Amino acid sequence: MTIVPDEQVSRQLDAMRTETFELLLLQFGETTEGSLITTTAAGILKRIKWLKAKNAHGYNINIRPAASHLTLLDDLVESQIADMEASGYEPCVIVETSPSNYQAWLDHGRELTPEEATQFSRILAKQIGADVAAAGRRHAGR
């Protein structure tokens, strides 16, 4: 089945099970420009055309939940995802950010403190070989 990009966004937002998201729009150049938008899933879906236009003009579009019930693991390959799943971790969202490079969001099923979320993500990133520098409560995904 082919999924159109807008439907992929909608499915990712649903799977992340949160009411409020933070969008980070970053443009790198001689200086870094960025903005932070706090919104709902409906607010993101209303902005799809605008976000695509920003992306076409060189902005990286990143997302994170405003809550702390999710952990992001970055710079994964398929074998690491398989190992993670074999160990009992089941990502609620997997995003291919570039060919054969993935990010995975894990849902803890409950709210963690920001410190717990950061500590858990760093421990798990080390355990499975993900990018430890990208592990932390405030890291955003694509």
Side-chain angles (χ1 to χ4, degrees), residues 70-106:
L70 295 171
T71 292
L72 177 70
L73 297 168
D74 197 10
D75 285 336
L76 299 170
V77 295
E78 288 181 25
S79 62
Q80 289 169 305
I81 294 169
D83 290 347
M84 184 173 48
E85 290 172 337
S87 296
Y89 297 104
E90 188 174 323
C92 62
V93 175
I94 298 171
V95 177
E96 187 173 18
T97 57
S98 60
S100 300
N101 190 345
Y102 301 87
Q103 293 178 332
W105 288 97
L106 298 175

PDB file of all heavy atoms in Angstrom, residues 70-106:
ATOM      1  N   LEU A  70       7.508   9.939  25.620  1.00  0.00           N
ATOM      2  CA  LEU A  70       8.176   9.352  24.464  1.00  0.00           C
ATOM      3  C   LEU A  70       9.683   9.568  24.538  1.00  0.00           C
ATOM      4  O   LEU A  70      10.146  10.590  25.041  1.00  0.00           O
ATOM      5  CB  LEU A  70       7.671   9.982  23.166  1.00  0.00           C
ATOM      6  CG  LEU A  70       6.211   9.747  22.803  1.00  0.00           C
ATOM      7  CD1 LEU A  70       5.816  10.607  21.616  1.00  0.00           C
ATOM      8  CD2 LEU A  70       5.952   8.294  22.516  1.00  0.00           C
ATOM      9  N   THR A  71      10.418   8.600  24.009  1.00  0.00           N
ATOM     10  CA  THR A  71      11.871   8.702  23.877  1.00  0.00           C
ATOM     11  C   THR A  71      12.214   8.561  22.407  1.00  0.00           C
ATOM     12  O   THR A  71      11.704   7.672  21.727  1.00  0.00           O
ATOM     13  CB  THR A  71      12.579   7.582  24.661  1.00  0.00           C
ATOM     14  OG1 THR A  71      12.379   7.805  26.056  1.00  0.00           O
ATOM     15  CG2 THR A  71      14.065   7.537  24.373  1.00  0.00           C
ATOM     16  N   LEU A  72      13.092   9.424  21.919  1.00  0.00           N
ATOM     17  CA  LEU A  72      13.565   9.353  20.544  1.00  0.00           C
ATOM     18  C   LEU A  72      14.951   8.740  20.508  1.00  0.00           C
ATOM     19  O   LEU A  72      15.847   9.145  21.255  1.00  0.00           O
ATOM     20  CB  LEU A  72      13.627  10.751  19.917  1.00  0.00           C
ATOM     21  CG  LEU A  72      14.183  10.797  18.495  1.00  0.00           C
ATOM     22  CD1 LEU A  72      13.189  10.172  17.512  1.00  0.00           C
ATOM     23  CD2 LEU A  72      14.499  12.222  18.093  1.00  0.00           C
ATOM     24  N   LEU A  73      15.125   7.755  19.623  1.00  0.00           N
ATOM     25  CA  LEU A  73      16.439   7.179  19.354  1.00  0.00           C
ATOM     26  C   LEU A  73      16.786   7.522  17.915  1.00  0.00           C
ATOM     27  O   LEU A  73      15.974   7.332  17.011  1.00  0.00           O
ATOM     28  CB  LEU A  73      16.417   5.668  19.573  1.00  0.00           C
ATOM     29  CG  LEU A  73      16.113   5.268  21.015  1.00  0.00           C
ATOM     30  CD1 LEU A  73      15.825   3.791  21.106  1.00  0.00           C
ATOM     31  CD2 LEU A  73      17.269   5.649  21.921  1.00  0.00           C
ATOM     32  N   ASP A  74      18.002   8.021  17.708  1.00  0.00           N
ATOM     33  CA  ASP A  74      18.403   8.560  16.409  1.00  0.00           C
ATOM     34  C   ASP A  74      19.573   7.778  15.827  1.00  0.00           C
ATOM     35  O   ASP A  74      20.353   7.165  16.554  1.00  0.00           O
ATOM     36  CB  ASP A  74      18.799  10.033  16.591  1.00  0.00           C
ATOM     37  CG  ASP A  74      18.848  10.805  15.290  1.00  0.00           C
ATOM     38  OD1 ASP A  74      18.402  10.284  14.244  1.00  0.00           O
ATOM     39  OD2 ASP A  74      19.335  11.950  15.308  1.00  0.00           O
ATOM     40  N   ASP A  75      19.694   7.865  14.508  1.00  0.00           N
ATOM     41  CA  ASP A  75      20.782   7.225  13.758  1.00  0.00           C
ATOM     42  C   ASP A  75      20.789   5.712  13.943  1.00  0.00           C
ATOM     43  O   ASP A  75      21.783   5.113  14.343  1.00  0.00           O
ATOM     44  CB  ASP A  75      22.143   7.821  14.133  1.00  0.00           C
ATOM     45  CG  ASP A  75      22.346   9.195  13.529  1.00  0.00           C
ATOM     46  OD1 ASP A  75      21.701   9.490  12.505  1.00  0.00           O
ATOM     47  OD2 ASP A  75      23.134   9.974  14.083  1.00  0.00           O
ATOM     48  N   LEU A  76      19.667   5.102  13.602  1.00  0.00           N
ATOM     49  CA  LEU A  76      19.518   3.659  13.689  1.00  0.00           C
ATOM     50  C   LEU A  76      19.538   3.035  12.298  1.00  0.00           C
ATOM     51  O   LEU A  76      19.137   3.675  11.328  1.00  0.00           O
ATOM     52  CB  LEU A  76      18.178   3.300  14.346  1.00  0.00           C
ATOM     53  CG  LEU A  76      17.963   3.796  15.766  1.00  0.00           C
ATOM     54  CD1 LEU A  76      16.512   3.576  16.180  1.00  0.00           C
ATOM     55  CD2 LEU A  76      18.907   3.094  16.724  1.00  0.00           C
ATOM     56  N   VAL A  77      19.979   1.791  12.236  1.00  0.00           N
ATOM     57  CA  VAL A  77      19.846   0.986  11.021  1.00  0.00           C
ATOM     58  C   VAL A  77      18.846  -0.124  11.338  1.00  0.00           C
ATOM     59  O   VAL A  77      18.500  -0.358  12.495  1.00  0.00           O
ATOM     60  CB  VAL A  77      21.209   0.416  10.548  1.00  0.00           C
ATOM     61  CG1 VAL A  77      22.151   1.544  10.136  1.00  0.00           C
ATOM     62  CG2 VAL A  77      21.836  -0.457  11.612  1.00  0.00           C
ATOM     63  N   GLU A  78      18.380  -0.800  10.298  1.00  0.00           N
ATOM     64  CA  GLU A  78      17.330  -1.806  10.473  1.00  0.00           C
ATOM     65  C   GLU A  78      17.698  -2.883  11.495  1.00  0.00           C
ATOM     66  O   GLU A  78      16.856  -3.324  12.273  1.00  0.00           O
ATOM     67  CB  GLU A  78      16.973  -2.435   9.132  1.00  0.00           C
ATOM     68  CG  GLU A  78      16.204  -1.490   8.238  1.00  0.00           C
ATOM     69  CD  GLU A  78      15.822  -2.098   6.898  1.00  0.00           C
ATOM     70  OE1 GLU A  78      15.709  -3.342   6.802  1.00  0.00           O
ATOM     71  OE2 GLU A  78      15.625  -1.319   5.960  1.00  0.00           O
ATOM     72  N   SER A  79      18.958  -3.320  11.513  1.00  0.00           N
ATOM     73  CA  SER A  79      19.351  -4.380  12.451  1.00  0.00           C
ATOM     74  C   SER A  79      19.246  -3.897  13.904  1.00  0.00           C
ATOM     75  O   SER A  79      18.897  -4.679  14.796  1.00  0.00           O
ATOM     76  CB  SER A  79      20.766  -4.878  12.151  1.00  0.00           C
ATOM     77  OG  SER A  79      21.712  -3.838  12.312  1.00  0.00           O
ATOM     78  N   GLN A  80      19.523  -2.612  14.162  1.00  0.00           N
ATOM     79  CA  GLN A  80      19.385  -2.088  15.516  1.00  0.00           C
ATOM     80  C   GLN A  80      17.915  -2.042  15.937  1.00  0.00           C
ATOM     81  O   GLN A  80      17.586  -2.325  17.090  1.00  0.00           O
ATOM     82  CB  GLN A  80      19.989  -0.682  15.614  1.00  0.00           C
ATOM     83  CG  GLN A  80      21.506  -0.676  15.524  1.00  0.00           C
ATOM     84  CD  GLN A  80      22.040   0.739  15.346  1.00  0.00           C
ATOM     85  OE1 GLN A  80      21.644   1.451  14.431  1.00  0.00           O
ATOM     86  NE2 GLN A  80      22.929   1.133  16.243  1.00  0.00           N
ATOM     87  N   ILE A  81      17.047  -1.690  14.998  1.00  0.00           N
ATOM     88  CA  ILE A  81      15.615  -1.681  15.296  1.00  0.00           C
ATOM     89  C   ILE A  81      15.147  -3.103  15.597  1.00  0.00           C
ATOM     90  O   ILE A  81      14.408  -3.344  16.556  1.00  0.00           O
ATOM     91  CB  ILE A  81      14.819  -1.046  14.139  1.00  0.00           C
ATOM     92  CG1 ILE A  81      15.178   0.442  14.027  1.00  0.00           C
ATOM     93  CG2 ILE A  81      13.311  -1.231  14.358  1.00  0.00           C
ATOM     94  CD1 ILE A  81      14.658   1.113  12.774  1.00  0.00           C
ATOM     95  N   ALA A  82      15.597  -4.065  14.816  1.00  0.00           N
ATOM     96  CA  ALA A  82      15.239  -5.471  15.044  1.00  0.00           C
ATOM     97  C   ALA A  82      15.752  -5.946  16.408  1.00  0.00           C
ATOM     98  O   ALA A  82      15.033  -6.625  17.149  1.00  0.00           O
ATOM     99  CB  ALA A  82      15.789  -6.345  13.923  1.00  0.00           C
ATOM    100  N   ASP A  83      16.988  -5.581  16.758  1.00  0.00           N
ATOM    101  CA  ASP A  83      17.551  -5.953  18.059  1.00  0.00           C
ATOM    102  C   ASP A  83      16.755  -5.323  19.194  1.00  0.00           C
ATOM    103  O   ASP A  83      16.500  -5.961  20.219  1.00  0.00           O
ATOM    104  CB  ASP A  83      19.021  -5.520  18.170  1.00  0.00           C
ATOM    105  CG  ASP A  83      19.955  -6.319  17.278  1.00  0.00           C
ATOM    106  OD1 ASP A  83      19.532  -7.378  16.753  1.00  0.00           O
ATOM    107  OD2 ASP A  83      21.103  -5.874  17.094  1.00  0.00           O
ATOM    108  N   MET A  84      16.374  -4.077  19.014  1.00  0.00           N
ATOM    109  CA  MET A  84      15.596  -3.370  20.018  1.00  0.00           C
ATOM    110  C   MET A  84      14.249  -4.079  20.223  1.00  0.00           C
ATOM    111  O   MET A  84      13.832  -4.327  21.358  1.00  0.00           O
ATOM    112  CB  MET A  84      15.395  -1.912  19.575  1.00  0.00           C
ATOM    113  CG  MET A  84      14.695  -1.043  20.560  1.00  0.00           C
ATOM    114  SD  MET A  84      14.673   0.701  20.072  1.00  0.00           S
ATOM    115  CE  MET A  84      14.133   0.659  18.380  1.00  0.00           C
ATOM    116  N   GLU A  85      13.591  -4.425  19.126  1.00  0.00           N
ATOM    117  CA  GLU A  85      12.298  -5.106  19.204  1.00  0.00           C
ATOM    118  C   GLU A  85      12.445  -6.493  19.834  1.00  0.00           C
ATOM    119  O   GLU A  85      11.604  -6.917  20.626  1.00  0.00           O
ATOM    120  CB  GLU A  85      11.658  -5.176  17.829  1.00  0.00           C
ATOM    121  CG  GLU A  85      11.196  -3.809  17.334  1.00  0.00           C
ATOM    122  CD  GLU A  85      10.728  -3.789  15.885  1.00  0.00           C
ATOM    123  OE1 GLU A  85      11.144  -4.680  15.100  1.00  0.00           O
ATOM    124  OE2 GLU A  85       9.946  -2.881  15.547  1.00  0.00           O
ATOM    125  N   ALA A  86      13.529  -7.191  19.514  1.00  0.00           N
ATOM    126  CA  ALA A  86      13.777  -8.511  20.101  1.00  0.00           C
ATOM    127  C   ALA A  86      14.004  -8.419  21.603  1.00  0.00           C
ATOM    128  O   ALA A  86      13.738  -9.373  22.347  1.00  0.00           O
ATOM    129  CB  ALA A  86      14.970  -9.179  19.420  1.00  0.00           C
ATOM    130  N   SER A  87      14.475  -7.259  22.068  1.00  0.00           N
ATOM    131  CA  SER A  87      14.708  -7.041  23.505  1.00  0.00           C
ATOM    132  C   SER A  87      13.441  -6.577  24.222  1.00  0.00           C
ATOM    133  O   SER A  87      13.481  -6.311  25.420  1.00  0.00           O
ATOM    134  CB  SER A  87      15.803  -5.993  23.705  1.00  0.00           C
ATOM    135  OG  SER A  87      17.028  -6.464  23.196  1.00  0.00           O
ATOM    136  N   GLY A  88      12.343  -6.445  23.481  1.00  0.00           N
ATOM    137  CA  GLY A  88      11.077  -6.076  24.110  1.00  0.00           C
ATOM    138  C   GLY A  88      10.666  -4.628  23.946  1.00  0.00           C
ATOM    139  O   GLY A  88       9.629  -4.215  24.454  1.00  0.00           O
ATOM    140  N   TYR A  89      11.457  -3.841  23.242  1.00  0.00           N
ATOM    141  CA  TYR A  89      11.109  -2.438  22.991  1.00  0.00           C
ATOM    142  C   TYR A  89      10.374  -2.351  21.659  1.00  0.00           C
ATOM    143  O   TYR A  89      10.877  -2.822  20.637  1.00  0.00           O
ATOM    144  CB  TYR A  89      12.360  -1.554  22.952  1.00  0.00           C
ATOM    145  CG  TYR A  89      13.103  -1.530  24.266  1.00  0.00           C
ATOM    146  CD1 TYR A  89      14.284  -2.240  24.425  1.00  0.00           C
ATOM    147  CD2 TYR A  89      12.615  -0.800  25.337  1.00  0.00           C
ATOM    148  CE1 TYR A  89      14.963  -2.224  25.632  1.00  0.00           C
ATOM    149  CE2 TYR A  89      13.297  -0.781  26.556  1.00  0.00           C
ATOM    150  CZ  TYR A  89      14.465  -1.495  26.690  1.00  0.00           C
ATOM    151  OH  TYR A  89      15.136  -1.478  27.874  1.00  0.00           O
ATOM    152  N   GLU A  90       9.196  -1.761  21.684  1.00  0.00           N
ATOM    153  CA  GLU A  90       8.385  -1.671  20.475  1.00  0.00           C
ATOM    154  C   GLU A  90       8.153  -0.205  20.117  1.00  0.00           C
ATOM    155  O   GLU A  90       7.358   0.483  20.768  1.00  0.00           O
ATOM    156  CB  GLU A  90       7.046  -2.365  20.702  1.00  0.00           C
ATOM    157  CG  GLU A  90       6.222  -2.483  19.461  1.00  0.00           C
ATOM    158  CD  GLU A  90       4.977  -3.308  19.687  1.00  0.00           C
ATOM    159  OE1 GLU A  90       5.030  -4.290  20.446  1.00  0.00           O
ATOM    160  OE2 GLU A  90       3.947  -2.952  19.100  1.00  0.00           O
ATOM    161  N   PRO A  91       8.839   0.303  19.116  1.00  0.00           N
ATOM    162  CA  PRO A  91       8.649   1.705  18.728  1.00  0.00           C
ATOM    163  C   PRO A  91       7.215   1.966  18.270  1.00  0.00           C
ATOM    164  O   PRO A  91       6.609   1.119  17.605  1.00  0.00           O
ATOM    165  CB  PRO A  91       9.619   1.900  17.565  1.00  0.00           C
ATOM    166  CG  PRO A  91      10.592   0.780  17.667  1.00  0.00           C
ATOM    167  CD  PRO A  91       9.847  -0.356  18.293  1.00  0.00           C
ATOM    168  N   CYS A  92       6.682   3.123  18.646  1.00  0.00           N
ATOM    169  CA  CYS A  92       5.351   3.496  18.164  1.00  0.00           C
ATOM    170  C   CYS A  92       5.458   4.187  16.810  1.00  0.00           C
ATOM    171  O   CYS A  92       4.496   4.196  16.045  1.00  0.00           O
ATOM    172  CB  CYS A  92       4.625   4.376  19.173  1.00  0.00           C
ATOM    173  SG  CYS A  92       5.387   5.958  19.545  1.00  0.00           S
ATOM    174  N   VAL A  93       6.637   4.747  16.502  1.00  0.00           N
ATOM    175  CA  VAL A  93       6.879   5.411  15.221  1.00  0.00           C
ATOM    176  C   VAL A  93       8.319   5.132  14.805  1.00  0.00           C
ATOM    177  O   VAL A  93       9.235   5.231  15.626  1.00  0.00           O
ATOM    178  CB  VAL A  93       6.678   6.947  15.318  1.00  0.00           C
ATOM    179  CG1 VAL A  93       7.060   7.635  14.018  1.00  0.00           C
ATOM    180  CG2 VAL A  93       5.259   7.299  15.717  1.00  0.00           C
ATOM    181  N   ILE A  94       8.498   4.786  13.535  1.00  0.00           N
ATOM    182  CA  ILE A  94       9.827   4.660  12.945  1.00  0.00           C
ATOM    183  C   ILE A  94       9.830   5.540  11.701  1.00  0.00           C
ATOM    184  O   ILE A  94       8.943   5.426  10.861  1.00  0.00           O
ATOM    185  CB  ILE A  94      10.165   3.205  12.566  1.00  0.00           C
ATOM    186  CG1 ILE A  94      10.167   2.317  13.819  1.00  0.00           C
ATOM    187  CG2 ILE A  94      11.517   3.130  11.845  1.00  0.00           C
ATOM    188  CD1 ILE A  94      10.282   0.840  13.526  1.00  0.00           C
ATOM    189  N   VAL A  95      10.825   6.431  11.610  1.00  0.00           N
ATOM    190  CA  VAL A  95      10.916   7.369  10.489  1.00  0.00           C
ATOM    191  C   VAL A  95      12.248   7.154   9.786  1.00  0.00           C
ATOM    192  O   VAL A  95      13.303   7.179  10.431  1.00  0.00           O
ATOM    193  CB  VAL A  95      10.826   8.838  10.973  1.00  0.00           C
ATOM    194  CG1 VAL A  95      10.983   9.811   9.821  1.00  0.00           C
ATOM    195  CG2 VAL A  95       9.515   9.083  11.721  1.00  0.00           C
ATOM    196  N   GLU A  96      12.196   6.941   8.469  1.00  0.00           N
ATOM    197  CA  GLU A  96      13.429   6.854   7.685  1.00  0.00           C
ATOM    198  C   GLU A  96      13.821   8.279   7.320  1.00  0.00           C
ATOM    199  O   GLU A  96      13.160   8.945   6.535  1.00  0.00           O
ATOM    200  CB  GLU A  96      13.235   6.007   6.436  1.00  0.00           C
ATOM    201  CG  GLU A  96      14.535   5.752   5.697  1.00  0.00           C
ATOM    202  CD  GLU A  96      14.393   4.769   4.546  1.00  0.00           C
ATOM    203  OE1 GLU A  96      13.253   4.535   4.083  1.00  0.00           O
ATOM    204  OE2 GLU A  96      15.431   4.240   4.107  1.00  0.00           O
ATOM    205  N   THR A  97      14.899   8.775   7.936  1.00  0.00           N
ATOM    206  CA  THR A  97      15.315  10.168   7.756  1.00  0.00           C
ATOM    207  C   THR A  97      16.222  10.377   6.554  1.00  0.00           C
ATOM    208  O   THR A  97      16.357  11.484   6.059  1.00  0.00           O
ATOM    209  CB  THR A  97      16.004  10.688   9.027  1.00  0.00           C
ATOM    210  OG1 THR A  97      17.117   9.833   9.322  1.00  0.00           O
ATOM    211  CG2 THR A  97      15.038  10.690  10.201  1.00  0.00           C
ATOM    212  N   SER A  98      16.869   9.320   6.128  1.00  0.00           N
ATOM    213  CA  SER A  98      17.678   9.289   4.909  1.00  0.00           C
ATOM    214  C   SER A  98      17.787   7.815   4.546  1.00  0.00           C
ATOM    215  O   SER A  98      17.423   6.962   5.351  1.00  0.00           O
ATOM    216  CB  SER A  98      19.053   9.946   5.136  1.00  0.00           C
ATOM    217  OG  SER A  98      19.767   9.269   6.146  1.00  0.00           O
ATOM    218  N   PRO A  99      18.282   7.493   3.365  1.00  0.00           N
ATOM    219  CA  PRO A  99      18.321   6.075   2.980  1.00  0.00           C
ATOM    220  C   PRO A  99      19.014   5.200   4.034  1.00  0.00           C
ATOM    221  O   PRO A  99      20.155   5.454   4.419  1.00  0.00           O
ATOM    222  CB  PRO A  99      19.087   6.093   1.656  1.00  0.00           C
ATOM    223  CG  PRO A  99      18.795   7.451   1.093  1.00  0.00           C
ATOM    224  CD  PRO A  99      18.764   8.367   2.295  1.00  0.00           C
ATOM    225  N   SER A 100      18.268   4.223   4.552  1.00  0.00           N
ATOM    226  CA  SER A 100      18.750   3.232   5.528  1.00  0.00           C
ATOM    227  C   SER A 100      19.159   3.842   6.867  1.00  0.00           C
ATOM    228  O   SER A 100      19.925   3.238   7.619  1.00  0.00           O
ATOM    229  CB  SER A 100      19.899   2.402   4.948  1.00  0.00           C
ATOM    230  OG  SER A 100      19.461   1.721   3.795  1.00  0.00           O
ATOM    231  N   ASN A 101      18.670   5.031   7.192  1.00  0.00           N
ATOM    232  CA  ASN A 101      18.939   5.675   8.477  1.00  0.00           C
ATOM    233  C   ASN A 101      17.592   6.040   9.095  1.00  0.00           C
ATOM    234  O   ASN A 101      16.767   6.680   8.450  1.00  0.00           O
ATOM    235  CB  ASN A 101      19.808   6.919   8.283  1.00  0.00           C
ATOM    236  CG  ASN A 101      20.313   7.474   9.597  1.00  0.00           C
ATOM    237  OD1 ASN A 101      19.830   7.143  10.669  1.00  0.00           O
ATOM    238  ND2 ASN A 101      21.298   8.349   9.513  1.00  0.00           N
ATOM    239  N   TYR A 102      17.396   5.646  10.363  1.00  0.00           N
ATOM    240  CA  TYR A 102      16.087   5.761  10.985  1.00  0.00           C
ATOM    241  C   TYR A 102      16.133   6.455  12.334  1.00  0.00           C
ATOM    242  O   TYR A 102      17.162   6.481  13.001  1.00  0.00           O
ATOM    243  CB  TYR A 102      15.482   4.364  11.196  1.00  0.00           C
ATOM    244  CG  TYR A 102      15.319   3.589   9.925  1.00  0.00           C
ATOM    245  CD1 TYR A 102      16.358   2.810   9.426  1.00  0.00           C
ATOM    246  CD2 TYR A 102      14.134   3.643   9.199  1.00  0.00           C
ATOM    247  CE1 TYR A 102      16.210   2.093   8.251  1.00  0.00           C
ATOM    248  CE2 TYR A 102      13.980   2.935   8.020  1.00  0.00           C
ATOM    249  CZ  TYR A 102      15.018   2.164   7.550  1.00  0.00           C
ATOM    250  OH  TYR A 102      14.881   1.467   6.391  1.00  0.00           O
ATOM    251  N   GLN A 103      14.969   6.968  12.709  1.00  0.00           N
ATOM    252  CA  GLN A 103      14.697   7.430  14.063  1.00  0.00           C
ATOM    253  C   GLN A 103      13.526   6.598  14.564  1.00  0.00           C
ATOM    254  O   GLN A 103      12.621   6.262  13.790  1.00  0.00           O
ATOM    255  CB  GLN A 103      14.307   8.908  14.106  1.00  0.00           C
ATOM    256  CG  GLN A 103      15.429   9.840  13.734  1.00  0.00           C
ATOM    257  CD  GLN A 103      14.978  11.294  13.741  1.00  0.00           C
ATOM    258  OE1 GLN A 103      13.825  11.617  13.513  1.00  0.00           O
ATOM    259  NE2 GLN A 103      15.922  12.186  13.983  1.00  0.00           N
ATOM    260  N   ALA A 104      13.536   6.267  15.846  1.00  0.00           N
ATOM    261  CA  ALA A 104      12.442   5.502  16.441  1.00  0.00           C
ATOM    262  C   ALA A 104      11.963   6.214  17.700  1.00  0.00           C
ATOM    263  O   ALA A 104      12.775   6.669  18.518  1.00  0.00           O
ATOM    264  CB  ALA A 104      12.899   4.090  16.777  1.00  0.00           C
ATOM    265  N   TRP A 105      10.659   6.322  17.842  1.00  0.00           N
ATOM    266  CA  TRP A 105      10.025   6.870  19.043  1.00  0.00           C
ATOM    267  C   TRP A 105       9.477   5.707  19.860  1.00  0.00           C
ATOM    268  O   TRP A 105       8.759   4.863  19.339  1.00  0.00           O
ATOM    269  CB  TRP A 105       8.873   7.792  18.673  1.00  0.00           C
ATOM    270  CG  TRP A 105       9.284   9.109  18.087  1.00  0.00           C
ATOM    271  CD1 TRP A 105       9.355   9.436  16.757  1.00  0.00           C
ATOM    272  CD2 TRP A 105       9.663  10.286  18.799  1.00  0.00           C
ATOM    273  NE1 TRP A 105       9.751  10.739  16.618  1.00  0.00           N
ATOM    274  CE2 TRP A 105       9.945  11.294  17.844  1.00  0.00           C
ATOM    275  CE3 TRP A 105       9.791  10.597  20.149  1.00  0.00           C
ATOM    276  CZ2 TRP A 105      10.344  12.575  18.204  1.00  0.00           C
ATOM    277  CZ3 TRP A 105      10.191  11.875  20.505  1.00  0.00           C
ATOM    278  CH2 TRP A 105      10.463  12.847  19.539  1.00  0.00           C
ATOM    279  N   LEU A 106       9.825   5.666  21.153  1.00  0.00           N
ATOM    280  CA  LEU A 106       9.314   4.654  22.075  1.00  0.00           C
ATOM    281  C   LEU A 106       8.341   5.318  23.039  1.00  0.00           C
ATOM    282  O   LEU A 106       8.634   6.385  23.597  1.00  0.00           O
ATOM    283  CB  LEU A 106      10.447   4.025  22.887  1.00  0.00           C
ATOM    284  CG  LEU A 106      11.513   3.273  22.114  1.00  0.00           C
ATOM    285  CD1 LEU A 106      12.623   2.820  23.062  1.00  0.00           C
ATOM    286  CD2 LEU A 106      10.908   2.084  21.413  1.00  0.00           C
TER     287      LEU A 106
END
